[in-house]
């Protein structure tokens, strides 16, 4: 790594954090922490991270996170310096930060008792206390914008739970930002070399070997690396709800010795493999491999981990066949999708479901990069928005401008504040599409759900679509500022997405996104409406006695917010369009059909569904309340549109399956 490149990255990082902190009126350390946590979430290194700062004598913490399956607890602290190049982080400094973080782990119950309910720190303490009942591993993270001269400390234990230490210094962050991927290559060393069979190939750029790996080793790799091991995989682990996972788990529990015979195994890639060779130079065993990725067989891998960690089975005698393809890094994007597509025989999925190489992202990047954003009032400088399809693209593009003058010109045309990522795009669109509970589940889960919807029914990515998506970004940014002014604290992002969703619902998505694009800002009436709406949303989301972050992830939370009384101010009503703006979004093609189906069911039937559910019919409270709302709207001659219509018809179908009988069924021409 060239010192020049690292120094340039350090300066750019400080400038970026300062700009973000100023724009958001936040502290620089908190802004840096959030920046790194977003990187870790996108990488699958961490999930459901929450920012919450607390400091006391011998103790300091900036936030925490809990893994999706509840097995990992992560605590974060930060060391940020504005001055660059003056010092490096020495071993004594990093160890002190880890000690202060560990002190919170020991004292979190005492800290909670000193905090008022629903404060950021109180929620963090409650979250940690709850997580400690189930976790099998604790990770302490130090996030730093200096180069560390020492590695992280060795693993320790806390109350019998293994504690590992993660040091994310400037050099490690630089590798992430400039490598084009969000995670460092996974390196695996086998204590006992893994026997393998090499297949002869004359094809350039790749080779293939076959091996059998122990199920326990595969489960331990997943325990250590989690979803980073599956970054190039096209499916996610759905616990044991699907038929495939249930079958895998049943085999592991009841016939482990037959697992090799029953299971299709895993398909993996690596960028480099250290072989033991025979006298003729043919590979016969694997000593280590670098850049390991499971591109097919993610459910097998995660199910093995589940049985080992949750079912407490030792997996003795379980073996898994592995086809390992060694691919040069430059050819990963070309070869891996085809490997995944052709080896995938379990479920119908596309190889690029969660990939930067998905047609949607390629098209959005291509079209958006051609757009010139109109100059704001009083300025003659047009700009561009930079869609970062793959992490590091903005830094790579910036690095092409070597002189200070060309750097300034680049930043003038493509300012940092107009850079946004795939996960940002999913956040903006899902907020507008009234899915704030998905946004609240974190960048990784929200993006995965976004891609699932894209795969079902993708939009036409043209100039109008890109402009309108960017307009939702401007709307989201305005709502974010309003939430900050109302002291939303670490709940700001949750409040922001719920605000945008509630606004979209109240206005029936008739806000003029084209006007926002042309102005490159929101109108005064829109800002005033958000300012008026914010306290109502905060009251519904930040509820005493509830863990705010967990509550915001639930559909019931959106149901409560959507029913919160709020009237669109007259000043904003005057600006609304006659028809809603639809982002040609996934599932939207089914909206008109759902609206016809729902309005074709009598209001009396909807009321009967609500009454039936209230008497114990089996629907969730949110579903019962939705049936009641649809009944009232139809009685009043109002329509049921968009996402609400789709959800309502799902409730109707669920009620029928659970035993609700309809006197007057749908007409034949209204059946799905």
């Amino acid at each position: 790594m060239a010192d020049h490149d690292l120094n340039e990255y350090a300066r750019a990082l400080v400038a970026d954090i300062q700009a973000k902190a100023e724009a958001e009126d936040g502290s620089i350390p908190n802004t840096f922490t959030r920046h790194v946590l977003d990187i870790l979430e996108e990488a699958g290194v961490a999930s459901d991270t929450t920012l919450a700062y607390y400091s006391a004598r011998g103790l300091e913490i900036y936030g925490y996170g809990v893994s999706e399956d509840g097995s990992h607890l992560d605590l974060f602290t930060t060391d940020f310096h504005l001055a660059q190049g003056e010092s490096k982080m020495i071993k004594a400094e990093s160890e002190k930060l880890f000690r202060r973080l560990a002190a919170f782990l020991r004292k979190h119950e005492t800290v909670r008792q000193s905090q008022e309910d629903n404060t950021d720190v109180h929620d963090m303490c409650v979250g940690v206390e709850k997580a400690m009942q189930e976790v099998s591993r604790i990770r302490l993270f130090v996030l730093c914008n200096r180069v560390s001269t020492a590695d992280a400390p060795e693993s320790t234990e806390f109350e019998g739970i293994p504690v590992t230490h993660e040091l994310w210094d400037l050099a490690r962050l630089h590798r992430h930002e400039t490598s084009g991927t969000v995670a460092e290559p996974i390196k695996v060393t086998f204590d006992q070399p893994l026997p393998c069979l090499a297949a002869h190939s004359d094809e350039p750029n790749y080779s293939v070997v076959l091996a059998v790996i122990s199920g326990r080793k595969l489960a331990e790799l997943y325990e250590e690396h989690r979803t980073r091991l599956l970054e190039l995989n096209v499916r996610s682990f759905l616990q044991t709800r699907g038929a495939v996972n249930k079958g895998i788990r049943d085999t592991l529990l009841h016939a482990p010795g037959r697992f090799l015979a029953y299971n299709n195994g895993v398909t993996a890639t690596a960028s480099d493999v250290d072989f033991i060779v025979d006298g003729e130079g043919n590979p016969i065993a694997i000593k280590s491999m670098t850049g390991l990725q499971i591109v097919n067989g993610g459910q097998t891998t995660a199910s093995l981990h589940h049985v080992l960690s949750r079912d407490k089975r030792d997996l003795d005698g379980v073996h898994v066949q592995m086809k390992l393809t060694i691919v040069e890094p430059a050819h990963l994007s070309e070869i891996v999708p085809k490997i995944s597509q052709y080896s995938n025989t379990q479920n119908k999925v596309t190889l690029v479901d969660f990939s930067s190489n998905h047609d949607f992202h390629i098209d959005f990047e291509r079209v958006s990069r051609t757009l010139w954003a109109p100059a704001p009032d009083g300025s003659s400088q047009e700009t561009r928005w930079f869609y970062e399809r793959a992490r590091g693209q903005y830094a790579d593009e910036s690095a092409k401008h070597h002189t200070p003058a060309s750097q300034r010109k680049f930043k003038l045309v493509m300012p940092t504040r107009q850079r946004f990522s795939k996960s940002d795009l999913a956040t903006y669109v899902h907020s507008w599409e009234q899915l704030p509970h998905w946004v609240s589940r974190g960048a990784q889960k929200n993006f995965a759900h976004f891609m699932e919807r894209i795969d079902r029914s993708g939009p036409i990515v043209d100039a109008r679509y890109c402009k309108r998506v960017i307009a939702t970004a401007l709307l989201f940014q305005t709502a974010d500022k309003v939430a900050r002014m109302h002291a939303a604290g670490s709940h700001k992002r949750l409040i922001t997405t719920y605000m945008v969703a509630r606004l979209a619902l109240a206005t029936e998505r008739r806000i003029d996104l084209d006007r926002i694009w042309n102005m490159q800002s929101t109108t005064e009436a829109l800002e005033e409406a958000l300012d008026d709406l914010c306290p109502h949303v905060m009251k519904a989301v930040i509820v005493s006695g509830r863990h705010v972050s967990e509550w915001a992830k639930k559909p019931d939370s959106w149901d409560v917010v959507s029913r919160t009384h709020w009237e669109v101010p007259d000043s904003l009503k005057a600006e609304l369009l006659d028809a809603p703006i639809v982002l040609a979004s996934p599932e939207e093609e089914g909206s008109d059909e759902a609206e016809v189906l729902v309005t074709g069911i009598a209001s009396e039937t909807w009321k009967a569904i609500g009454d039936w559910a209230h008497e114990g019919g089996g629907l969730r409270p949110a579903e019962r309340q939705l049936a009641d709302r649809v009944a009232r709207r139809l009685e009043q001659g109002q329509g049921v549109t968009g996402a609400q219509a789709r959800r309502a018809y799902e409730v109707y179908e669920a009620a029928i399956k659970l035993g609700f009988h309809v006197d007057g069924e749908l007409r034949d021409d209204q059946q799905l």
Side-chain angles (χ1 to χ4, degrees):
M1 180 189 306
D3 289 341
H4 172 76
D5 292 342
L6 186 60
N7 290 335
E8 285 296 320
Y9 171 74
R11 282 192 287 271
L13 178 62
V14 169
D16 190 15
I17 297 303
Q18 285 180 304
K20 284 183 179 179
E22 182 178 355
E24 298 176 358
D25 194 25
S27 76
I28 286 177
N30 278 346
T31 303
F32 172 71
T33 305
R34 184 70 266 169
H35 172 80
V36 179
L37 293 185
D38 287 343
I39 291 174
L40 298 182
E41 283 203 20
E42 187 173 336
V45 174
S47 59
D48 290 343
T49 60
T50 300
L51 201 66
Y53 178 73
Y54 181 78
S55 176
R57 182 178 178 85
L59 182 158
E60 187 172 43
I61 185 170
Y62 276 81
Y64 81 107
V66 180
S67 64
E68 183 178 348
D69 62 1
S71 65
H72 286 189
L73 170 65
D74 299 329
L75 304 181
F76 305 94
T77 193
T78 285
D79 174 81
F80 189 87
H81 288 244
L82 286 173
Q84 286 299 311
E86 295 182 2
S87 66
K88 294 184 178 181
M89 174 181 279
I90 62 175
K91 183 177 181 180
E93 289 178 298
S94 61
E95 288 182 343
K96 180 180 179 181
L97 288 164
F98 280 118
R99 284 198 304 271
R100 290 170 65 83
L101 196 54
F104 174 81
L105 190 60
R106 295 192 302 271
K107 301 178 181 179
H108 68 274
E109 294 184 16
T110 303
V111 173
R112 176 181 57 79
Q113 295 168 8
S114 67
Q115 303 295 308
E116 295 182 4
D117 288 354
N118 295 325
T119 61
D120 302 340
V121 176
H122 181 273
D123 282 353
M124 175 170 63
C125 294
V126 171
V128 170
E129 193 169 336
K130 180 180 177 182
M132 286 294 293
Q133 299 171 13
E134 295 189 12
V135 295
S136 59
R137 186 178 179 189
I138 299 170
R139 299 186 297 179
L140 306 182
F141 288 76
V142 168
L143 317 177
C144 175
N145 74 323
R146 294 186 292 164
V147 174
S148 174
T149 61
D151 295 330
E154 294 295 325
S155 299
T156 57
E157 284 191 357
F158 176 73
E159 296 182 354
I161 303 172
V163 178
T164 58
H165 303 78
E166 294 263 358
L167 179 55
W168 285 73
D169 68 343
L170 183 71
R172 191 171 184 181
L173 290 171
H174 178 255
R175 288 196 297 273
H176 276 245
E177 295 277 28
T178 57
S179 67
T181 63
V182 292
E184 293 180 315
I186 294 171
K187 183 167 183 178
V188 180
T189 301
F190 295 97
D191 295 331
Q192 295 292 328
L194 190 67
C196 68
L197 174 65
H200 174 75
S201 174
D202 294 325
E203 288 288 329
N205 308 319
Y206 85 96
S207 58
V208 179
V209 299
L210 303 177
V212 175
I213 186 171
S214 77
R216 186 179 187 89
K217 180 65 175 180
L218 207 51
E220 289 172 347
L221 286 172
Y222 186 83
E223 168 70 18
E224 181 177 358
H225 301 290
R226 314 299 290 185
T227 55
R228 285 186 57 217
L229 191 63
L230 312 176
E231 278 180 336
L232 301 181
N233 195 287
V234 299
R235 66 174 109 248
S236 58
F237 179 49
L238 302 176
Q239 296 177 347
T240 56
R241 292 176 293 177
V244 173
N245 280 341
K246 186 175 185 300
I248 293 173
R249 182 169 176 266
D250 286 347
T251 300
L252 289 169
L253 293 176
H254 305 299
R258 298 182 181 180
F259 190 79
L260 183 61
Y262 292 170
N263 187 262
N264 288 332
V266 300
T267 302
T269 63
S271 56
D272 185 48
V273 176
D274 185 12
F275 289 109
I276 294 176
V277 298
D278 62 16
E280 297 179 359
N282 298 314
I284 59 172
I286 300 170
K287 291 196 293 185
S288 67
M289 45 190 168
T290 302
L292 176 65
Q293 284 287 297
I294 305 294
V295 297
N296 188 263
Q299 292 185 352
T300 293
T301 306
S303 297
L304 284 162
H305 174 262
H306 181 94
V307 171
L308 178 67
S309 61
R310 292 307 182 94
D311 295 322
K312 305 300 182 184
R313 299 298 178 88
D314 56 21
L315 299 180
D316 284 349
V318 174
H319 295 88
V320 183
Q321 61 179 325
M322 177 174 67
K323 181 178 73 174
L324 177 67
T325 303
I326 300 92
V327 186
E328 293 181 5
H331 297 279
L332 277 173
S333 60
E334 171 195 355
I335 294 176
V336 168
K338 290 184 172 61
I339 295 173
S340 183
Q341 180 182 14
Y342 299 141
S343 65
N344 183 356
T345 59
Q346 294 175 347
N347 292 326
K348 183 180 178 182
V349 294
T350 58
L351 59 127
V352 286
D353 281 345
F354 302 101
S355 169
S356 298
N357 295 319
H358 194 290
D359 287 345
F360 171 83
H361 297 294
I362 292 173
D363 291 344
F364 195 97
E365 177 189 47
R366 174 179 53 79
V367 176
S368 65
R369 297 277 181 90
T370 67
L371 302 176
W372 284 98
D377 291 341
S379 169
S380 60
Q381 177 63 57
E382 292 184 326
T383 58
R384 292 188 191 274
W385 285 72
F386 193 99
Y387 179 57
E388 200 169 39
R389 180 169 60 87
R391 181 169 292 279
Q393 283 184 319
Y394 187 85
D396 290 343
E397 193 67 30
S398 177
K400 295 177 183 178
H401 303 271
H402 302 292
T403 67
S406 62
Q407 277 278 330
R408 286 194 297 271
K409 184 177 180 180
F410 171 76
K411 293 292 178 68
L412 190 65
V413 173
M414 293 183 175
T416 303
R417 68 178 182 277
Q418 291 178 196
R419 174 185 67 183
F420 63 110
S421 66
K422 299 189 300 294
S423 58
D424 292 330
L425 185 151
T427 293
Y428 304 146
V429 172
H430 272 180
S431 297
W432 178 258
E433 294 290 335
Q434 300 162 41
L435 295 169
H437 49 292
W438 272 104
V439 177
S440 300
R441 296 177 190 185
Q444 190 179 26
K445 292 180 187 175
N446 183 56
F447 179 72
H449 186 58
F450 175 78
M451 291 308 300
E452 288 171 2
R453 300 177 75 225
I454 286 287
D455 190 54
R456 285 199 294 270
S457 174
I460 298 172
V461 182
D462 54 13
R464 184 174 70 168
Y465 177 81
C466 292
K467 289 177 180 179
R468 287 178 170 178
V469 168
I470 292 171
T472 64
L474 290 162
L475 174 61
F476 192 92
Q477 290 169 3
T478 298
D480 185 84
K481 293 177 183 177
V482 170
R484 183 176 64 250
M485 290 189 296
H486 283 266
S490 66
H491 305 315
K492 176 166 66 71
R493 194 166 182 83
L494 307 180
I495 299 302
T496 300
T497 184
Y498 271 92
M499 258 202 297
V500 173
R502 185 66 181 87
L503 182 72
L505 176 65
T507 60
E508 297 175 324
R509 290 185 291 188
R510 291 189 291 127
I511 294 170
D512 193 344
L513 296 181
D514 298 328
R515 181 180 182 182
I516 293 176
W517 164 263
N518 291 326
M519 293 175 56
Q520 287 295 290
S521 64
T522 51
T523 65
E524 183 177 344
L526 190 48
E527 293 180 27
E528 290 175 351
L530 286 167
D531 185 60
D532 183 57
L533 173 61
C534 188
H536 298 277
V537 172
M538 290 181 66
K539 184 177 180 181
V541 175
I542 304 175
V543 181
S544 179
R546 281 195 174 123
H547 191 284
V548 177
S549 298
E550 293 302 315
W551 167 240
K553 299 172 187 175
K554 300 179 183 297
D556 287 354
S557 178
W558 169 235
D559 189 64
V560 169
V561 173
S562 67
R563 289 187 290 107
T564 298
H565 179 74
W566 181 73
E567 295 287 340
V568 179
D570 291 339
S571 57
L572 180 57
K573 285 182 180 178
E575 296 180 358
L576 298 180
L577 302 171
D578 294 332
I581 284 185
V582 176
L583 291 177
S585 63
E587 303 177 355
E588 202 58 45
E589 292 179 1
S591 293
D592 291 342
E593 183 183 9
E595 291 167 20
V596 171
L597 290 167
V598 168
T599 55
I601 300 170
S603 61
E604 292 81 4
T605 299
W606 287 107
K607 186 176 186 304
I609 290 174
D611 293 341
W612 169 81
H614 186 72
E615 294 171 1
L619 294 177
R620 294 186 299 110
E623 294 171 329
R624 171 176 56 79
Q625 292 163 1
L626 178 57
D628 290 338
R629 288 203 307 279
V630 171
R632 287 195 299 271
R633 290 187 68 85
L634 294 179
E635 286 173 355
Q636 297 166 4
Q638 299 175 333
V640 182
T641 60
Q644 188 178 58
R646 292 193 299 274
R647 291 197 303 272
Y649 196 74
E650 289 171 359
V651 168
Y652 175 83
E653 289 187 314
I656 297 297
K657 289 179 181 178
L658 290 169
F660 175 77
H661 298 288
V662 187
D663 293 334
E665 294 289 350
L666 294 175
R667 298 189 306 271
D668 290 341
D669 63 347
Q670 290 178 323
Q671 298 294 325
L672 276 176

